[in-house]
């Protein structure tokens, strides 16, 4: 969130305008009386399927809208709570889809404990994501599913759709949001890369996650906050200068709530991510060795929409864009640069008029089986559909 000074009365220096004083007083009173200004009520949902670290939910249709069209499945990343898709009322991708009448589903994993330490990436690639896709399709009347994965959820979705062992999954399209494919292009890791290779696979990080059975919740929370260290340091100033801006305050509260509910990583999965992604950068070639087989992203045969966040430090635009040339069998690969950091690009205030609208256009384009005629304002040959994306790409 950019820091901007309070609006002031013309010619009055830094004095706030009367309406700002009233708004600020109202926000402070609301926070004191109710604990905050954000509406953090989750959208109503019903459990339709569950298994080991797998819970598939259907969001209940809005009372004034009839569900229609192909369903959407939101794939949650490991360690992050599912509120990434349902951050707060008024700034929730789930709420957006439901209000539009889109059948909306989500897969999440529940709490990860020490007993889950032996679960590896195969669990999510072989079992969780494919099963969720099939169950959603079945629940929605055997319709094809539009899969949307943020961060690691996008990587798991890519691997599941590329894996020949998954079979013929009923997928209409895939959207990948902020998923770094080539981690050598992540500047955040550059200072640590010599240390990652120093101990030959037997360093303190390896011993730590083996001893703890994974990456515990406090460590995951700290790591996420560290990626936005500058914002963390300037947060008190930002709150003080935006005390009259209820939308700004609500977004800060919602992000704090999201961060406070981080989830642990299972030990074996964390080890695979650490050694194969952070150190080995295996996915950059498009070929990934998993268990007893090789998965090639070039085997994905559904259309793929890829989003990069303009200020994303965890998954910078070049690291995300690296997947585009690897998707050789996809009928269309579309790349969009949208405003925001790692979480903001998905559910920031600007996402409502950028990321979400591009998703709407994409889902409409690839719904109904056969390729439809382009809607007004839609061009399948175009790689930057929105004015915001084109501007950020310059």
């Amino acid at each position: 969130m950019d820091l901007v000074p309070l609006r002031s009365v013309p010619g009055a220096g830094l004095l706030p305008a009367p309406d700002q004083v009233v708004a600020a007083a109202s926000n402070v009173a609301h926070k004191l009386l109710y604990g905050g200004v954000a509406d953090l009520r989750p959208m109503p949902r019903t459990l339709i399927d569950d298994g080991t670290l797998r819970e598939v939910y259907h969001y209940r249709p809005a009372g004034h809208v009839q569900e229609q069209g192909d369903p959407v499945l939101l794939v949650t990343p490991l360690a992050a709570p599912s509120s990434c898709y349902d951050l707060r009322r008024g700034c929730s991708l789930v709420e957006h889809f439901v209000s539009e009448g889109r059948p909306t589903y989500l897969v999440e994993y529940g709490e990860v404990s020490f007993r889950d330490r032996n679960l590896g990436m195969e669990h999510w690639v072989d079992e969780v994501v494919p099963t969720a896709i099939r169950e959603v399709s079945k629940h929605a009347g055997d319709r094809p599913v539009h899969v949307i994965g943020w961060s690691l959820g996008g990587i798991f979705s890519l691997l599941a759709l590329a894996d020949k062992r998954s079979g013929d999954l009923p997928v209409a399209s895939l959207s990948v949001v902020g998923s770094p494919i080539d981690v050598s292009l992540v500047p955040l890791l550059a200072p640590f890369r010599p240390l990652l290779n120093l101990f030959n696979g037997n360093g303190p990080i390896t011993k730590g996650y083996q001893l703890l059975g994974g990456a515990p919740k406090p460590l995951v929370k700290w790591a996420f906050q560290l990626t936005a260290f500058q914002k963390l340091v300037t947060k008190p100033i930002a709150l003080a200068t935006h005390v009259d801006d209820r939308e700004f305050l609500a977004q800060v509260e919602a992000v704090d709530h999201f961060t406070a509910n981080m989830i642990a990583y299972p030990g074996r999965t964390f080890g695979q991510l650490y050694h194969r992604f952070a150190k080995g950068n295996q996915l950059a070639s498009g070929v990934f060795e998993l268990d007893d087989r090789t998965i090639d992203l070039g085997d994905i045969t559904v259309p793929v929409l890829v989003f990069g966040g303009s200020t994303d430090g965890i998954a910078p635009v070049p690291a995300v864009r690296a997947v585009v040339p690897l998707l050789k069998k996809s009928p269309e690969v579309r790349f969009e640069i949208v405003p925001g950091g790692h979480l903001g690009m998905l559910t920031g205030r600007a996402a409502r008029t950028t990321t979400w609208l591009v998703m709407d256009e994409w889902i409409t384009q690839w719904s109904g089986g056969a390729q439809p005629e382009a809607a007004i304002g839609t061009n399948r040959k175009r790689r930057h559909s929105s004015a915001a994306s084109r501007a950020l790409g310059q």
Side-chain angles (χ1 to χ4, degrees):
M1 300 176 185
D2 297 328
L3 301 184
V4 294
L6 286 172
R7 300 181 307 277
S8 56
V9 178
L14 296 178
L15 290 176
D19 63 324
Q20 288 181 275
V21 176
V22 173
S26 174
N27 291 339
V28 171
H30 202 282
K31 189 169 183 64
L32 290 174
L33 291 173
Y34 303 106
V37 297
D39 186 347
L40 300 178
R41 292 174 300 152
M43 293 292 290
R45 62 186 192 175
T46 303
L47 181 70
I48 65 166
D49 174 70
D50 69 317
T52 303
L53 293 187
R54 185 189 76 247
E55 298 173 1
V56 183
Y57 291 92
H58 172 232
Y59 286 94
R60 298 172 198 166
H64 60 288
V65 177
Q66 182 178 358
E67 271 193 338
Q68 58 183 346
D70 295 340
V72 168
L73 171 63
L74 305 171
V75 180
T76 309
L78 274 176
S82 61
S83 59
C84 58
Y85 295 112
D86 189 21
L87 194 67
R88 64 180 176 93
R89 296 295 176 96
C91 207
S92 159
L93 180 58
V94 169
E95 184 182 27
H96 169 75
F97 282 143
V98 169
S99 66
E100 293 292 320
R102 176 72 59 187
T104 306
Y105 299 79
L106 175 136
V107 59
E108 65 176 3
Y109 319 120
E111 287 292 332
V112 175
S113 66
F114 185 77
R115 68 174 179 271
D116 302 312
R117 64 190 180 280
N118 293 322
L119 288 177
M121 288 177 59
E122 312 91 81
H123 178 66
W124 281 268
V125 174
D126 293 351
E127 198 274 330
V128 173
V129 174
T131 300
I133 291 171
R134 293 189 181 99
E135 290 298 324
V136 166
S137 176
K138 179 181 176 181
H139 190 270
D142 296 320
R143 299 185 71 102
V145 180
H146 296 275
V147 179
I148 298 175
W150 173 61
S151 193
L152 188 55
I155 291 175
F156 283 165
S157 299
L158 284 164
L159 291 173
L161 267 61
D163 187 7
K164 294 178 180 178
R165 184 176 294 187
S166 297
D168 189 16
L169 294 173
V171 173
S173 75
L174 171 62
S175 296
V176 179
V177 186
S179 300
I181 299 302
D182 187 348
V183 298
S184 70
L185 301 176
V186 180
L188 192 67
L189 288 178
F192 304 101
R193 198 159 285 118
L195 297 176
L196 296 180
N197 298 316
L198 183 62
F199 297 99
N200 225 3
N202 196 32
I205 295 179
T206 300
K207 292 179 179 178
Y209 75 73
Q210 289 175 344
L211 177 66
L212 297 172
K217 290 166 55 172
L219 180 62
V220 174
K221 176 182 176 181
W222 174 81
F224 186 83
Q225 290 176 325
L226 185 63
T227 63
F229 181 74
Q230 183 179 2
K231 289 183 180 179
L232 190 65
V233 171
T234 59
K235 182 178 174 182
I237 300 173
L239 291 174
T241 56
H242 290 79
V243 70
D244 65 322
D245 186 343
R246 179 163 294 205
E247 268 286 291
F248 180 92
L249 298 178
Q251 191 72 3
V252 171
E253 286 179 15
V255 172
D256 285 347
H257 182 263
F258 165 83
T259 307
N261 287 278
M262 289 290 184
I263 302 167
Y265 279 101
R268 186 160 174 264
T269 298
F270 182 83
Q272 290 170 318
L273 293 171
Y274 169 63
H275 290 288
R276 300 187 188 185
F277 283 91
K279 290 180 64 175
N281 197 23
Q282 288 186 16
L283 204 54
S285 66
V287 177
F288 191 77
E289 301 294 331
L290 184 64
D291 201 7
D292 58 349
R293 79 268 193 198
T294 299
I295 299 177
D296 187 344
L297 298 185
D299 289 330
I300 294 176
T301 57
V302 302
V304 182
L305 171 63
V306 183
F307 288 97
S310 61
T311 57
D312 192 342
I314 295 176
V317 167
V320 175
R321 187 191 280 129
V323 76
V324 173
L326 304 176
L327 302 170
K328 299 169 186 171
K329 294 183 182 178
S330 174
E332 178 176 353
V333 181
R334 177 169 161 184
F335 184 76
E336 292 281 347
I337 304 172
V338 292
H342 198 55
L343 180 61
M345 65 181 296
L346 175 71
T347 192
R349 292 180 293 171
R352 294 178 287 196
T353 55
T354 54
T355 309
W356 301 357
L357 298 187
V358 176
M359 285 182 178
D360 288 340
E361 181 187 271
W362 176 260
I363 292 169
T364 299
Q365 175 184 336
W366 292 103
S367 288
Q371 296 182 19
E373 290 299 319
I376 296 175
T378 303
N379 182 347
R380 285 197 289 272
K381 295 182 180 179
R382 187 172 58 203
R383 286 297 176 267
H384 295 285
S385 67
S386 66
S389 291
R390 290 195 299 271
L392 289 165
Q394 294 174 354

